[in-house]
Amino acid sequence: MERLALRTRLRPGCEEIYDREHTEIPAELEQAMREHGVRSWRIYRDGLDLFHFVEVEDYAALQAALRDHPADQAWQARMNRLLDGDFDKGSGGLSLVWEMT
C-alpha cells in the first residue's frame, strides 16, 4: 500500500467554485479509481492550498489506468481550470519530513 501526500494550489478567487464543484466526483470516475487500487483519497483546503492524502495499491499503475479514461480526462479538465497550474499526477508525492512511529 502506498501513501502519498500531494499538493496543488487554487487560482485566487476560485475557492467557492472549487468547493461547490468538488463536493463529489462523477460515479464513473470514483468506480474506476477504486477498481485500480485507491483505498482512500482525502483533500483538505487551507486558503488556496489543497493537500491530497492518497492510499493506493500502486500509484503509477493508477496513473496509467486512468490516463486515457474519459471520466478522468473530463474531470481533470474541469478541475484544472480552477488550479494555479495543472494537477500533475505524475509529479509524485511530497517528501517525507518527519513521521511519528
Side-chain angles (χ1 to χ4, degrees):
M1 175 72 66
E2 292 182 56
R3 293 184 190 156
L4 293 125
L6 307 168
R7 180 189 161 275
T8 53
R9 187 166 173 83
L10 291 173
R11 285 189 308 129
C14 291
E15 300 92 334
E16 288 181 29
I17 299 168
Y18 178 86
D19 289 349
R20 183 176 58 248
E21 291 192 17
H22 211 290
T23 56
E24 67 181 76
I25 66 171
E28 181 183 13
L29 177 55
E30 183 174 350
Q31 180 181 347
M33 290 169 65
R34 290 185 187 282
E35 288 173 359
H36 295 288
V38 173
R39 298 294 175 248
S40 69
W41 191 309
R42 294 176 181 91
I43 302 172
Y44 298 91
R45 184 171 70 76
D46 181 17
L48 297 176
D49 292 308
L50 301 168
F51 300 95
H52 306 247
F53 296 95
V54 184
E55 290 184 348
V56 62
E57 292 298 323
D58 182 337
Y59 190 67
L62 172 68
Q63 292 174 290
L66 294 182
R67 183 168 292 119
D68 296 324
H69 195 288
D72 187 55
Q73 289 178 339
W75 180 255
Q76 293 305 325
R78 187 173 156 195
M79 290 297 109
N80 281 344
R81 77 183 206 290
L82 304 174
L83 299 178
D84 187 11
D86 288 353
F87 178 33
D88 179 4
K89 295 180 286 187
S91 63
L94 297 174
S95 299
L96 179 64
V97 175
W98 178 82
E99 180 177 14
M100 179 182 282
T101 58

mmCIF file of all heavy atoms in Angstrom, residues 3-5 53 93-101:
data_model
loop_
_atom_site.group_PDB
_atom_site.id
_atom_site.type_symbol
_atom_site.label_atom_id
_atom_site.label_comp_id
_atom_site.label_asym_id
_atom_site.label_seq_id
_atom_site.Cartn_x
_atom_site.Cartn_y
_atom_site.Cartn_z
ATOM 1 N N ARG A 3 1.153 5.358 0.415
ATOM 2 C CA ARG A 3 0.500 6.545 0.963
ATOM 3 C C ARG A 3 1.223 7.755 0.409
ATOM 4 O O ARG A 3 2.430 7.867 0.547
ATOM 5 C CB ARG A 3 0.574 6.548 2.482
ATOM 6 C CG ARG A 3 -0.218 5.457 3.111
ATOM 7 C CD ARG A 3 -0.174 5.577 4.606
ATOM 8 N NE ARG A 3 -0.757 4.381 5.176
ATOM 9 C CZ ARG A 3 -0.492 3.939 6.369
ATOM 10 N NH1 ARG A 3 0.352 4.582 7.149
ATOM 11 N NH2 ARG A 3 -1.068 2.860 6.814
ATOM 12 N N LEU A 4 0.458 8.632 -0.228
ATOM 13 C CA LEU A 4 1.050 9.814 -0.840
ATOM 14 C C LEU A 4 0.408 11.072 -0.292
ATOM 15 O O LEU A 4 -0.772 11.077 0.048
ATOM 16 C CB LEU A 4 0.833 9.789 -2.359
ATOM 17 C CG LEU A 4 1.565 8.685 -3.079
ATOM 18 C CD1 LEU A 4 0.586 7.881 -3.877
ATOM 19 C CD2 LEU A 4 2.602 9.286 -3.973
ATOM 20 N N ALA A 5 1.198 12.112 -0.261
ATOM 21 C CA ALA A 5 0.703 13.459 0.042
ATOM 22 C C ALA A 5 1.044 14.311 -1.167
ATOM 23 O O ALA A 5 2.203 14.421 -1.549
ATOM 24 C CB ALA A 5 1.366 14.013 1.299
ATOM 25 N N PHE A 53 -4.307 13.486 0.333
ATOM 26 C CA PHE A 53 -3.737 12.346 1.037
ATOM 27 C C PHE A 53 -4.349 11.100 0.425
ATOM 28 O O PHE A 53 -5.559 10.893 0.492
ATOM 29 C CB PHE A 53 -4.012 12.433 2.542
ATOM 30 C CG PHE A 53 -3.350 13.625 3.164
ATOM 31 C CD1 PHE A 53 -4.048 14.803 3.338
ATOM 32 C CD2 PHE A 53 -2.015 13.581 3.535
ATOM 33 C CE1 PHE A 53 -3.435 15.923 3.890
ATOM 34 C CE2 PHE A 53 -1.397 14.687 4.088
ATOM 35 C CZ PHE A 53 -2.109 15.870 4.265
ATOM 36 N N GLY A 93 4.791 12.225 -4.879
ATOM 37 C CA GLY A 93 4.338 12.752 -3.601
ATOM 38 C C GLY A 93 5.274 13.788 -3.023
ATOM 39 O O GLY A 93 6.371 14.020 -3.529
ATOM 40 N N LEU A 94 4.822 14.388 -1.951
ATOM 41 C CA LEU A 94 5.671 15.310 -1.200
ATOM 42 C C LEU A 94 6.728 14.510 -0.461
ATOM 43 O O LEU A 94 6.512 13.361 -0.098
ATOM 44 C CB LEU A 94 4.827 16.103 -0.195
ATOM 45 C CG LEU A 94 3.749 17.015 -0.779
ATOM 46 C CD1 LEU A 94 2.899 17.614 0.330
ATOM 47 C CD2 LEU A 94 4.368 18.113 -1.608
ATOM 48 N N SER A 95 7.859 15.101 -0.194
ATOM 49 C CA SER A 95 8.914 14.426 0.547
ATOM 50 C C SER A 95 8.526 14.299 2.007
ATOM 51 O O SER A 95 7.988 15.224 2.602
ATOM 52 C CB SER A 95 10.223 15.220 0.453
ATOM 53 O OG SER A 95 10.629 15.317 -0.888
ATOM 54 N N LEU A 96 8.814 13.133 2.574
ATOM 55 C CA LEU A 96 8.562 12.915 3.989
ATOM 56 C C LEU A 96 9.588 13.687 4.797
ATOM 57 O O LEU A 96 10.795 13.587 4.584
ATOM 58 C CB LEU A 96 8.668 11.412 4.323
ATOM 59 C CG LEU A 96 8.456 11.037 5.772
ATOM 60 C CD1 LEU A 96 7.032 11.365 6.211
ATOM 61 C CD2 LEU A 96 8.745 9.572 5.984
ATOM 62 N N VAL A 97 9.097 14.517 5.707
ATOM 63 C CA VAL A 97 9.977 15.299 6.562
ATOM 64 C C VAL A 97 10.140 14.621 7.912
ATOM 65 O O VAL A 97 11.228 14.488 8.437
ATOM 66 C CB VAL A 97 9.428 16.740 6.740
ATOM 67 C CG1 VAL A 97 10.277 17.517 7.716
ATOM 68 C CG2 VAL A 97 9.357 17.447 5.404
ATOM 69 N N TRP A 98 9.032 14.159 8.464
ATOM 70 C CA TRP A 98 9.059 13.536 9.778
ATOM 71 C C TRP A 98 7.849 12.635 9.918
ATOM 72 O O TRP A 98 6.791 12.938 9.364
ATOM 73 C CB TRP A 98 9.015 14.616 10.866
ATOM 74 C CG TRP A 98 9.001 14.071 12.268
ATOM 75 C CD1 TRP A 98 10.080 13.662 12.990
ATOM 76 C CD2 TRP A 98 7.872 13.881 13.105
ATOM 77 N NE1 TRP A 98 9.672 13.230 14.229
ATOM 78 C CE2 TRP A 98 8.323 13.355 14.330
ATOM 79 C CE3 TRP A 98 6.508 14.087 12.938
ATOM 80 C CZ2 TRP A 98 7.462 13.030 15.367
ATOM 81 C CZ3 TRP A 98 5.661 13.784 13.982
ATOM 82 C CH2 TRP A 98 6.141 13.266 15.189
ATOM 83 N N GLU A 99 7.999 11.540 10.613
ATOM 84 C CA GLU A 99 6.871 10.642 10.838
ATOM 85 C C GLU A 99 6.963 10.077 12.246
ATOM 86 O O GLU A 99 8.027 9.629 12.673
ATOM 87 C CB GLU A 99 6.921 9.492 9.821
ATOM 88 C CG GLU A 99 5.802 8.512 9.970
ATOM 89 C CD GLU A 99 5.823 7.432 8.904
ATOM 90 O OE1 GLU A 99 6.856 7.298 8.207
ATOM 91 O OE2 GLU A 99 4.827 6.723 8.770
ATOM 92 N N MET A 100 5.857 10.103 12.950
ATOM 93 C CA MET A 100 5.800 9.503 14.279
ATOM 94 C C MET A 100 5.653 7.999 14.089
ATOM 95 O O MET A 100 4.786 7.548 13.344
ATOM 96 C CB MET A 100 4.625 10.032 15.085
ATOM 97 C CG MET A 100 4.538 9.411 16.470
ATOM 98 S SD MET A 100 3.109 10.026 17.383
ATOM 99 C CE MET A 100 3.732 11.628 17.894
ATOM 100 N N THR A 101 6.509 7.232 14.698
ATOM 101 C CA THR A 101 6.437 5.773 14.545
ATOM 102 C C THR A 101 5.630 5.164 15.664
ATOM 103 O O THR A 101 5.399 5.791 16.696
ATOM 104 C CB THR A 101 7.851 5.154 14.523
ATOM 105 O OG1 THR A 101 8.524 5.509 15.722
ATOM 106 C CG2 THR A 101 8.625 5.644 13.314
#
